[in-house]
Amino acid sequence: MQKLIIAKKARSKKVNKVEIVKESKNVMDVYAQLEEIASAGFEKLSKEDASYFLKCFGLFDKGDYFMLRVRVPIGQLSYDQAICIGEVAKEYGDDYIDISTRMQIVLRYIAIENIAKVIKKLKSAGLSTFQTGADNPRNIVADPLDGLAYDSIIETKPIVDKFQELTIENPEWISVLPRKFNTGILGSLSNSCNIFGHDCCFVLANKNGEFGFNIFLGAKVGVQARDINLFVTVEEAPTFLITLLELFKTYGYRDNRNKNRLHFLLQDVGLEEFSKSLRAKAGINFATAGQTLVQSQNIALGGNRVLQRNGNYAYKLIVPSGVFLGTDLIETAKEAKKYASGDLRLSYDQNIYIVDIPKENISDFESSSIVSKYAKFDNIYFNDMIACAGTHTCSFGVIPNKPDAVDMANFLNSELPIESGMVRMNWSACPKGCGVHGIADIGFEGCKARDDDGNRVDGVHIFIGGRITREAKEARVLHKSIPVTEAKYHAKYLLKAYLKFRLRGETFEAFEERYLSRSYSYQAIGFYTKINYILNDKLDLGVTLELEKEPKTYKKENLEIFDFGLKLFKLLTGEKRYVSVDNEFEIVLRDARKIKRNEVTKLNPNVPEKLSEVIYMMTDNSKSSRASVFSELMTALKGV
């Protein structure tokens, strides 16, 4: 423990303001006073309660109303609980519901005078709002088809129930951590809960023939969890988590709020040393890691129906960007009760599974009004889309976000319908990354951008290449500060390449790894989407720069630039730029064509001179003066 002690001392010279607030009163006293707070109204709401203490019970002050997070462990809702949430949303929350990426429910527009009665009604259905905000163990996520799907090896619900019993609504664990703490547990072969994206990740593994979990720790926005070389059995899992929380509570940093997550403690202490401390604190010599068994993406890939191993079906109802209605939740629960068990499962990608539908009922269920209402969203652009709250409901949001995500999905489906496949497009309204854009196939992070006239508009940074399957990998930036109105075209050209070059049954993640990132530099892909947006969607020239199945440019920017330039010259003029170019992209200079910077414009007056000059830069006879990096071209393309 010595390194933990040293690390804590080095960061304990001061504490942040939140820690001072936390010491000012007993958090459970605030809960006991909920009815008084409700009746007193906003005028008498203390700053400390609004900014911190009420968040421990899921209540977030939004100025004119409260947002309320309802804890739904691993997303499992009974019929009675779903009906209760729907009724609360209708009666107290403007009939509005958000399904979050932590597989729980968010209610909005709750008046302060109703907060106590809302929590009381939810509690009557066995629903808790405790520890869904502030410095607490947050809702645990897992496979939404935990215990039901064919690939579910370990049913994790009993383990999560034990976690809940030990920590949730237990005063010893309310508001005692240095920062929030997210946990994921995956007992299945398919990664349907972003399993590598949490502070603590229990990942299905095999050790000497026994199924259990390899432990990955320390994820945060922009960083995936790391393997700490420990294997935990099903029986050891609750003890392990409590031990981990104890260490974080005792040694976690309490100075800079931006650097108080578990990630930073691990960074300073080291994984090996932290593993030793876990073993010592637990009094268990946890085994070293076994074989991680995550094999694929969501088992529901390519369709809404999933055959359960008991012979019944689960049906995935697609909820665009997680925005639902209390009325629709009630109807969904009633249809689930009519045709199935009545149980619902919320998913990490903000959708709802209706489970245990007998085979003889599935057709009638799929003909129900609630399924028909959401059937229009049953396509690859909505199926796995994620979008966090934006400016309408979140004070941190930079762009509207949810409407932007829906607009883009509708645009893509109208422009480029793809009947089978999978693409994960995730939207975060700000750098906090609540929409987990960093692990998306195509990710969007809200920002401000400039349009062609220099006006400040809603924009996004575009990311590509995130991984969540056998291993986690953060996406890379493709474009920075692109207007939202332009971003949909960049997505369209990425997906056109996917449609053209994918293998049968290949997901975008697998396609990006097999083809895009191995065939072209990221800079070349960025240029490819930008130039096609300019050619087709700005200038309406009706030509498209195509990628090649097997390019011979070896991901070398100078060769990619020259190759693209030759193609653009031919596309826009109908003529060859050079008489001949050999296999190594060397110009055969005999009778080499000499051109001026405006040559393309002279041959095709529809081409602006600025674009003609860019093509000149890409194909100059002299290597020394020819553009060699795409960033130079991207700058030159501004204003075309």
Side-chain angles (χ1 to χ4, degrees), residues 123-154:
K123 197 171 182 65
S124 71
L127 292 161
S128 176
T129 63
F130 274 59
Q131 292 146 286
T132 53
D135 300 342
N136 288 289
R138 303 293 183 84
N139 197 49
I140 298 172
V141 304
D143 181 356
L145 298 180
D146 178 61
L148 299 177
Y150 272 93
D151 76 324
S152 180
I153 307 299
I154 299 173

Side-chain angles (χ1 to χ4, degrees), residues 18 22 234 287 300 316 372 478 493 560 571 593 604 629 634 639:
V18 175
K22 286 158 70 172
V234 171
K316 186 179 182 182
S372 298
L478 188 71
Y493 292 110
E560 291 172 328
L571 281 170
R593 180 176 189 167
N604 183 351
V629 291
M634 297 295 271

Side-chain angles (χ1 to χ4, degrees), residues 224-279:
Q224 294 297 306
R226 293 182 288 169
D227 184 352
I228 67 164
N229 194 25
L230 285 185
F231 177 83
V232 172
T233 67
V234 171
E235 293 75 23
E236 292 169 341
T239 301
F240 176 87
L241 183 61
I242 288 296
T243 303
L244 176 58
L245 289 172
E246 288 279 6
L247 287 180
F248 185 47
K249 179 178 73 172
T250 304
Y251 298 103
Y253 303 143
R254 297 178 185 266
D255 53 350
N256 184 344
R257 291 284 290 179
N258 294 325
K259 295 185 177 181
N260 285 4
R261 293 286 291 276
L262 179 65
H263 167 84
F264 297 100
L265 181 62
L266 294 172
Q267 195 175 50
D268 290 348
V269 173
L271 299 182
E272 186 176 351
E273 184 64 28
F274 197 80
S275 296
K276 290 178 183 177
S277 298
L278 282 164
R279 288 188 174 101

